[in-house]
Amino acid sequence: MNAKQIESRFTEMGARMIVREIPSRWSHGDRRWFSPTDYAMDIQRDARGEFFELRVPSHLSAALEATVVQSVPRERHLLLMVRRSGQTPQLDRFLCGHDERDWFVAAVPGGVSSVRQAMEALQPRDVRIALARHQVSSRKRFARKNRAFRRQGEWFFVPEPTMTVDPGLILRNEPLRRGGGKPHLVEQLHRSGGETVHVCTRHPNGVSERVFRELLRTNPKAARWGWRVMRRNPGVFARGTVGHPDHATIDLPFWHRVLMNTENQSSTMRNVAFLD
């Protein structure tokens, strides 16, 4: 991997990039590499501020090749491709850039080959439909605010101006969170629909009612696993202020549908250590 060349392309857009090789550990019993098993893209901070970091385990140093597919220095964005050869070939794409106050890295789904395509790929389907419905120009379709949506970080807010909600079903100061990242705090939030699931530490993604009952039937001790009833994939709507430490607060005067970008649809997400 030509680390110097990659780092220079990040410098062109005003960012620092460090490619760092870290020692891999070998398990003699299982005869496999572990801790870490794969590379990671991250954003770190030192005395000089934020910087991008590509951490490469030593056992993968010869198998990884990173390439900047396209750089748009004026917009402070670039598309990075990481190719892994060997027994389990892998091709990952990352959109790296600056948003409002800080640098970010996002896993990009699909086979994009430009910064613009990457930004489009990160917009969920309902956002693209709203852009077409409101005939938003190509110049404004990636802005944080246009007729089709408001955006704060990875969250899109699509207007639903005629929507009404029973006041008793409105949650106050509710967090929106992706994984372990810092939450976006929503003044008023409403969840509707979705699938009822039972969640515990052993089943963090939840199991359906049918699976839950079958689990209790075959293993009565499972009743003591600290289950919670939650909704999976509900419709989420927000109104009022939405705040986050790394972003300017936005104000939604009426209800907006809440949609997350499409990072979680990309297998590349497993190689992103950065969380907003």
Side-chain angles (χ1 to χ4, degrees), residues 101-274:
R101 303 170 181 171
D102 298 286
W103 296 103
F104 73 90
V105 56
V108 182
V112 303
S113 58
S114 70
V115 168
R116 182 183 179 87
Q117 289 177 1
M119 296 173 76
E120 288 179 343
L122 286 168
Q123 292 179 334
R125 178 176 176 272
D126 285 353
V127 165
R128 295 196 299 271
I129 291 173
L131 286 166
R133 183 172 65 247
H134 290 280
Q135 299 181 329
V136 178
S137 68
S138 58
R139 184 173 61 88
K140 295 182 178 180
R141 65 185 300 114
F142 302 121
R144 288 190 293 274
K145 178 181 179 181
N146 55 44
R147 291 195 302 272
F149 63 79
R150 300 287 300 273
R151 182 179 64 79
Q152 188 182 77
E154 69 271 32
W155 296 99
F156 292 86
F157 303 88
V158 177
E160 298 283 353
T162 62
M163 181 176 178
T164 59
V165 176
D166 182 338
L169 300 177
I170 297 175
L171 302 171
R172 309 283 175 172
N173 300 317
E174 188 75 359
L176 276 177
R177 188 193 305 268
R178 178 191 66 171
K182 290 173 282 189
H184 298 244
L185 197 63
V186 183
E187 184 178 2
Q188 297 181 37
L189 188 135
H190 170 65
R191 293 186 176 93
S192 174
E195 176 190 7
T196 299
V197 292
H198 297 262
V199 178
C200 69
T201 54
R202 302 192 189 196
H203 296 276
N205 293 323
V207 297
S208 67
E209 183 70 25
R210 181 185 63 80
V211 172
F212 175 69
R213 292 187 180 279
E214 179 64 17
L215 186 60
L216 295 187
R217 186 185 68 81
T218 57
N219 182 12
K221 292 182 179 179
R224 299 195 294 269
W225 288 356
W227 296 92
R228 291 179 296 147
V229 178
M230 301 184 71
R231 306 292 292 178
R232 182 159 57 196
N233 298 325
V236 180
F237 303 88
R239 185 174 68 177
T241 59
V242 183
H244 187 277
D246 298 335
H247 301 280
T249 298
I250 62 175
D251 187 18
L252 308 175
F254 46 82
W255 289 106
H256 286 61
R257 180 182 297 274
V258 181
L259 301 163
M260 196 178 78
N261 72 15
T262 61
E263 272 192 277
N264 60 353
Q265 298 176 20
S266 171
S267 60
T268 302
M269 188 67 181
R270 64 178 176 267
N271 297 102
V272 176
F274 167 74

Side-chain angles (χ1 to χ4, degrees), residues 57-125:
S58 55
H59 74 278
L60 291 180
S61 59
L64 287 185
E65 185 61 39
T67 307
V68 174
V69 179
Q70 186 192 27
S71 175
V72 187
R74 185 174 60 182
E75 298 178 9
R76 294 198 287 182
H77 282 70
L78 63 76
L79 178 63
L80 179 71
M81 182 171 68
V82 179
R83 185 187 302 273
R84 174 177 173 175
S85 58
Q87 293 182 336
T88 55
Q90 182 178 321
L91 185 61
D92 300 319
R93 293 171 174 84
F94 303 91
L95 181 64
C96 304
H98 195 274
D99 185 32
E100 289 191 77
R101 303 170 181 171
D102 298 286
W103 296 103
F104 73 90
V105 56
V108 182
V112 303
S113 58
S114 70
V115 168
R116 182 183 179 87
Q117 289 177 1
M119 296 173 76
E120 288 179 343
L122 286 168
Q123 292 179 334
R125 178 176 176 272

